[in-house]
Amino acid sequence: MKMVMIGLGRMGGNMARRLMDKGHEIVAFDRDADAVAKLVEAGAEAATSVDDARAKAGSPVIWWVMVPAGEITEGVIDSICENAAEGEIVIDGGNSFYKDDIRRAKALAEKGVHYVDVGTSGGVWGRERGYCMMIGGPADIVQQLDPIFSTLAPGMGSIERTKGRLGDATDPRAENGYIHAGPAGAGHFVKMVHNGIEYGLMQAYAEGFDVLKGKASDKLPEDQRYDLNLTDIAEVWRRGSVISSWLLDLTALALAKDGKLDGFSGHVADSGEGRWTIDAAMEEAVPLNVLSAALFARYRSRVDHTFGDKVLSAMRFGFGGHVEIPQ
């Protein structure tokens, strides 16, 4: 299939490359001319504006918007819709707020334009590993886009099938790493909760390694101090432990490079999705003890840094290329 990719950063650029690797055609547009040039070298067709992209994209135009959520996404979608033809499809693959999706979908439908929201997880490793996707939008449009989603998805891989899954009652796409979660906003809502859980998991690892490191403290009696090798502990936990995970893999990788994590500030940012998850829980009257504590720990890290905060920074850099910059 042929589509326009707007936003060629860490995620968008690699997604476009994965699609082209599998035979899809990409019209590339970004404010960064160098990013466009690099993608053209990989086989994309360059566009100098939204209107230029539309002229090169065929019909109906499929737009994949992969830019920072908020005003930037709003601006890009508004520019697409100024001259949009009926039947065009706009996909927002960023981390937008799900209520914004609901609003956009209604507004675009009045113009005859279809809107699909895609919560995307995979980070900087996605080109190689594939992207886990949670998709919201009209079922027929999502099905029409399936060649794109199935290419971006990880596929079955080597993961064992889950015993007891009920055939007709489940979405077979889930085993390949993507689902149609529901109508407009459902994809980003599921991804929002995914990121909230991610905060909690990361905080648990960070606090655990902070306790391990603290066992060498001179505040403890000498016979109770242990100078523990955190690099080895992360490695052994990766192998057969019930707490093994990709996040632990990334922690082990960071510790193997620098056991003290001196290259990380410990000033931990948040994408906003942790806050949105807590807001949703409040609307639903659902207690969120772990996730809310994890979010508040990130706020605290911007004032007082611990070794655990450096572990958090290392994980964020590992999966998403996020560089923590003190404010």
Side-chain angles (χ1 to χ4, degrees), residues 227-249:
D227 186 11
L228 299 168
N229 187 315
L230 304 189
T231 304
D232 286 348
I233 291 170
E235 187 63 28
V236 75
W237 281 352
R238 292 181 60 217
R239 303 181 181 277
S241 164
V242 296
I243 63 167
S244 60
S245 73
W246 186 31
L247 289 171
L248 183 59
D249 293 346

Side-chain angles (χ1 to χ4, degrees), residues 39-75:
L39 207 62
V40 168
E41 291 177 3
E45 184 176 4
T48 57
S49 67
V50 168
D51 287 338
D52 184 40
R54 176 176 280 111
K56 295 174 177 177
S59 181
V61 186
I62 301 171
W63 306 87
W64 190 301
V65 179
M66 205 67 187
V67 299
E71 292 183 3
I72 297 178
T73 295
E74 292 285 353

Side-chain angles (χ1 to χ4, degrees), residues 278-298:
I278 292 169
D279 287 343
M282 293 176 67
E283 291 174 354
E284 300 167 16
V286 173
L288 225 61
N289 303 318
V290 172
L291 276 56
S292 57
L295 175 64
F296 294 147
R298 293 192 178 200

Side-chain angles (χ1 to χ4, degrees), residues 193-209 242-248 251 290-295 298 308 311-312 315 319:
V193 177
H194 162 286
N195 280 25
I197 293 170
E198 182 183 283
Y199 280 34
L201 292 172
M202 292 172 69
Q203 186 64 28
Y205 284 124
E207 291 178 6
F209 279 99
V242 296
I243 63 167
S244 60
S245 73
W246 186 31
L247 289 171
L248 183 59
T251 303
V290 172
L291 276 56
S292 57
L295 175 64
R298 293 192 178 200
V311 175
L312 286 175
M315 282 187 276
F319 67 72

Side-chain angles (χ1 to χ4, degrees), residues 3-17 26-40 44-54 56 63-68 72-73 76 79-80:
M3 58 174 276
V4 180
M5 179 66 77
I6 300 182
L8 308 175
R10 291 188 297 264
M11 291 281 282
N14 278 341
M15 292 174 79
R17 288 179 175 85
I26 297 294
V27 177
F29 177 54
D30 195 289
R31 291 182 298 182
D32 184 347
D34 289 340
V36 175
K38 289 177 182 178
L39 207 62
V40 168
E45 184 176 4
T48 57
S49 67
V50 168
D51 287 338
D52 184 40
R54 176 176 280 111
K56 295 174 177 177
W63 306 87
W64 190 301
V65 179
M66 205 67 187
V67 299
I72 297 178
T73 295
V76 170
S79 66
I80 289 171

Side-chain angles (χ1 to χ4, degrees), residues 76-99:
V76 170
I77 293 177
D78 286 347
S79 66
I80 289 171
C81 291
E82 284 178 6
N83 298 308
E86 187 173 345
E88 291 190 16
I89 302 171
V90 176
I91 305 168
D92 178 9
N95 282 332
S96 289
F97 184 42
Y98 77 98
K99 291 183 181 179

Side-chain angles (χ1 to χ4, degrees), residues 115-133:
Y115 181 84
V116 174
D117 54 285
V118 182
T120 310
S121 181
V124 295
W125 301 83
R127 183 182 180 184
E128 175 186 350
R129 293 167 56 109
Y131 301 88
C132 173
M133 291 169 291

